[in-house]
Amino acid sequence: MPVDRYTVGVDFGTLSGRAVVVRVSDGTEIASAVHDYRHAVLEETLPDGTVRLPDAWALQVPDDYRDVLRRAVPAALAAAGIEAEQVVGIATDFTACTMVPTYADGTPLCEDPRFADRPHSYVKLWKHHAAQGQADRINELAARRGESWLPRYGGLISSEWEFAKALQIHEEDSEIYDAMDRWVEAADWIVWQLCGHYVRNACTAGYKGIYQDGHYPSVDFLTELAPGFGSFVADKLDQPLGELGSRAGTLTAEAARWTGLPEGIAVAVGNVDAHVTAPAAGAVEPGRMVAIMGTSTCHVMSSTVLKEVPGMCGVVDGGIVAGSFGYEAGQSGVGDIFGWFTRTSVPAAYSEAAAAAGESVHEHLTRLAQAQDVGEHGLVALDWHSGNRSVLVDHELSGLVVGTTLATRPEDTYRALLEATAFGTRVIVETFRNSGVPVEEFVVAGGLARNALLMQIYADVLRMPLSVIASAQGPALGSAIHAAVAAGCYPDVPVASKSMGKVHRAAFVPDESRSKAYDSLFEIYLGLHDRFGRDVPTMRRLRALRRDALTRRVDAR
């Protein structure tokens, strides 16, 4: 009787890492384990608690990622009850754009005692938005020069991405910039830790690193952008690229000791949590947009056509699967917005009622909101509490709720925020369609798929059936699929996806009466979207005033 083979997929999220053991033959998830990052997200101070961070910073500690390999992987393997020798490969995915400044051997600069008190030596998490000024200058110069790569990103480069974040280090801490030998995506850094080889994955290089048609932005462009920045690509960024699903190397002896896995098994090229989920959701064919919904949402899809879509995060040849153009868009805040509201704006009486009913605050507000008809609360919100990733690409924008009265209740605002994220997604979908990229199916993955009210709102707002991935661990399952390909169990990712991917088709269908009511609310949303996002600098001015006030407070200490 043949022995089953397994792979391990490891999903590195914003607050934790999850390892899943998956059977190669059919994608069955045998066991999983989670490890929470010890330092979580550094948004106020460095780990010592004394060095304070400015507004819009979000850092992490890279050893927290190694701990996932040391803790979650062995725990998942033990829970699976299989022999380690049955595991033939491991693959990882990461949040993006999350960047690690390192020395030439991969050691993060923050692990050098000389730089432990220097914020720019730490990992810059995807939601580090303090480089908006640098992103603005990149966009202005690229537009003025007519750079051919700019339209591939919808005309705007994000402050979340590699070049803006690196330029911020160059301009704010030249000693750290000069000491940095490599500017590494965390998706590639963790693979480097596993196999001892630094290989840049084609996904982040294209979407976050402005790598198009075989080239990065030119030396001339970078020199004009900032003196001394012209050699950035050659000195700190450029590295051999690996195709998604290919083998980056094999597991080192040290990594084998961390994980409990056999030395020498296949280690797949790194990937991004959103993009790696498409195969897990059976959505590698053209026209199927996958929304990975968690703290933020990333929208990815494959297509046979190459188009310029305003405000998209990028289009990359082979960015999701080889042989297709992979598109990406996204929303910077979704679950984060709902979490913020429940933490800051819910009266104690609601929390007590939720506890009495055996519900979380989210569940309690969802139940109350579900009893409402569309439009009953009289509100429309803008979902920009963490800025706008698509289609405006401006992280200086902020949230807004219009229509509040003395009769407005927490469940009203909560529902309006749910709807706002659906409206934001509709803007993205319609922008793709209007640009000649068909969106024929909408597939949801991620933790928010468990909220049935939210899913029904999305179906009604989008006027599309919603399919839902049949796995609670979409990214980790996607990584396991890539590990199976890297190990030679399948010839390519699409073939592996057919055997190992899982999805419930049309799990939620739109209701025409609700969709019609949402059309009217969406029209109001669009008016606010364009007024505050395109025409009026109100939100940017407010953010500037806030920064000035915070700076004065820090200086006064």
Side-chain angles (χ1 to χ4, degrees):
M1 183 175 178
V3 176
D4 285 326
R5 294 179 295 176
Y6 299 87
T7 56
V8 174
V10 188
D11 170 39
F12 289 85
T14 300
L15 294 173
S16 63
R18 179 181 300 272
V20 177
V21 179
V22 177
R23 189 162 59 211
V24 168
S25 60
D26 59 4
T28 298
E29 297 163 37
I30 305 301
S32 66
V34 179
H35 179 75
D36 294 333
Y37 302 149
R38 183 160 56 96
H39 298 91
V41 180
L42 308 177
E43 295 179 282
E44 297 181 359
T45 69
L46 292 185
D48 64 3
T50 59
V51 178
R52 299 197 63 83
L53 300 175
D55 183 43
W57 278 59
L59 307 178
Q60 288 195 313
V61 176
D63 199 49
D64 289 351
Y65 308 148
R66 295 193 193 97
D67 277 343
V68 174
L69 303 177
R70 299 174 182 128
R71 306 283 190 274
V73 175
L77 186 62
I82 65 171
E83 297 297 325
E85 289 70 23
Q86 293 177 264
V87 178
V88 296
I90 183 171
T92 57
D93 64 84
F94 233 102
T95 60
C97 174
T98 296
M99 301 301 301
V100 190
T102 78
Y103 290 120
D105 64 354
T107 301
L109 265 63
C110 64
E111 295 181 358
D112 184 334
R114 296 179 302 156
F115 299 137
D117 62 348
R118 305 279 277 277
H120 281 298
S121 72
Y122 285 78
V123 175
K124 282 184 169 54
L125 185 60
W126 64 268
K127 65 177 183 175
H128 175 91
H129 292 149
Q132 185 63 51
Q134 284 79 10
D136 290 343
R137 286 167 41 217
I138 291 171
N139 290 324
E140 291 162 4
L141 180 60
R144 178 161 53 81
R145 288 171 53 106
E147 295 290 339
S148 61
W149 43 262
L150 190 61
R152 297 283 182 92
Y153 301 95
L156 292 166
I157 300 300
S158 172
S159 67
E160 294 183 357
W161 298 354
E162 295 178 11
F163 279 74
K165 286 175 173 172
L167 183 58
Q168 185 191 15
I169 298 177
H170 177 266
E171 295 181 335
E172 295 182 5
D173 194 335
S174 60
E175 185 179 3
I176 293 294
Y177 182 83
D178 291 342
M180 177 177 72
D181 295 313
R182 299 284 185 267
W183 184 228
V184 188
E185 282 276 357
D188 300 325
W189 182 81
I190 201 67
V191 170
W192 195 354
Q193 298 294 294
L194 286 168
C195 71
H197 298 294
Y198 178 21
V199 179
R200 266 176 73 76
N201 73 85
C203 180
T204 53
Y207 291 107
K208 314 302 180 184
I210 321 182
Y211 185 80
Q212 292 286 348
D213 300 325
H215 303 284
Y216 293 99
S218 68
V219 172
D220 286 347
F221 173 82
L222 298 176
T223 300
E224 186 173 350
L225 182 64
F229 198 59
S231 62
F232 166 65
V233 168
D235 290 351
K236 304 180 187 298
L237 188 66
D238 197 14
Q239 201 71 16
L241 295 183
E243 184 178 289
L244 303 182
S246 65
R247 183 182 297 209
T250 59
L251 198 69
T252 66
E254 182 179 31
R257 288 192 295 272
W258 290 344
T259 60
L261 298 175
E263 181 182 353
I265 64 170
V267 177
V269 167
N271 211 327
V272 179
D273 49 5
H275 304 73
V276 80
T277 303
V284 295
E285 296 85 358
R288 291 180 172 173
M289 178 175 281
V290 183
I292 298 82
M293 298 179 61
T295 54
S296 64
T297 292
C298 189
H299 306 81
V300 298
M301 65 179 295
S302 295
S303 179
T304 58
V305 298
L306 176 61
K307 297 290 184 179
E308 297 174 3
V309 182
M312 66 179 172
C313 297
V315 54
V316 175
D317 189 1
I320 299 174
V321 292
S324 295
F325 294 105
Y327 288 84
E328 178 189 342
Q331 293 164 273
S332 294
V334 180
D336 265 357
I337 298 175
F338 312 149
W340 160 81
F341 182 76
T342 59
R343 289 193 309 273
T344 65
S345 306
V346 177
Y350 275 70
S351 300
E352 293 165 1
E359 301 170 321
S360 69
V361 175
H362 283 286
E363 291 168 337
H364 186 64
L365 290 172
T366 296
R367 179 167 58 82
L368 295 175
Q370 193 161 9
Q372 298 181 2
D373 289 332
V374 177
E376 182 179 328
H377 50 50
L379 306 174
V380 172
L382 291 175
D383 52 319
W384 300 343
H385 298 65
S386 192
N388 181 284
R389 185 182 294 164
S390 299
V391 298
L392 300 172
V393 196
D394 188 346
H395 292 290
E396 292 288 275
L397 298 176
S398 51
L400 179 70
V401 180
V402 174
T404 56
T405 70
L406 295 178
T408 300
R409 301 163 299 176
E411 60 265 35
D412 300 333
T413 307
Y414 188 75
R415 179 167 181 137
L417 293 173
L418 300 182
E419 292 166 344
T421 66
F423 293 148
T425 289
R426 180 167 167 177
V427 169
I428 291 168
V429 170
E430 291 189 353
T431 301
F432 270 79
R433 287 174 171 164
N434 293 338
S435 302
V437 183
V439 181
E440 298 162 353
E441 182 183 6
F442 197 82
V443 186
V444 176
L448 293 180
R450 293 192 294 269
N451 187 318
L453 172 61
L454 182 64
M455 295 300 96
Q456 188 60 55
I457 288 172
Y458 270 64
D460 293 337
V461 168
L462 293 173
R463 290 182 165 271
M464 295 175 66
L466 245 68
S467 300
V468 178
I469 190 172
S471 169
Q473 323 296 345
L477 173 59
S479 284
I481 290 172
H482 282 73
V485 176
C489 301
Y490 292 97
D492 56 40
V493 172
V495 171
S497 173
K498 289 179 181 178
S499 295
M500 300 177 70
K502 307 173 184 179
V503 65
H504 297 305
R505 301 285 181 204
F508 296 87
V509 295
D511 175 87
E512 178 58 29
S513 63
R514 290 195 298 266
S515 292
K516 187 174 181 180
Y518 273 129
D519 286 344
S520 298
L521 285 174
F522 180 65
E523 184 178 351
I524 298 171
Y525 175 93
L526 271 183
L528 295 170
H529 176 281
D530 291 345
R531 177 171 177 78
F532 285 94
R534 301 185 191 277
D535 300 332
V536 178
T538 301
M539 292 177 174
R540 277 179 165 255
R541 291 178 62 192
L542 289 171
R543 291 295 291 267
L545 289 170
R546 181 177 189 272
R547 274 194 297 272
D548 290 345
L550 290 173
T551 299
R552 289 195 301 272
R553 172 172 289 188
V554 170
D555 290 345
R557 289 176 177 170

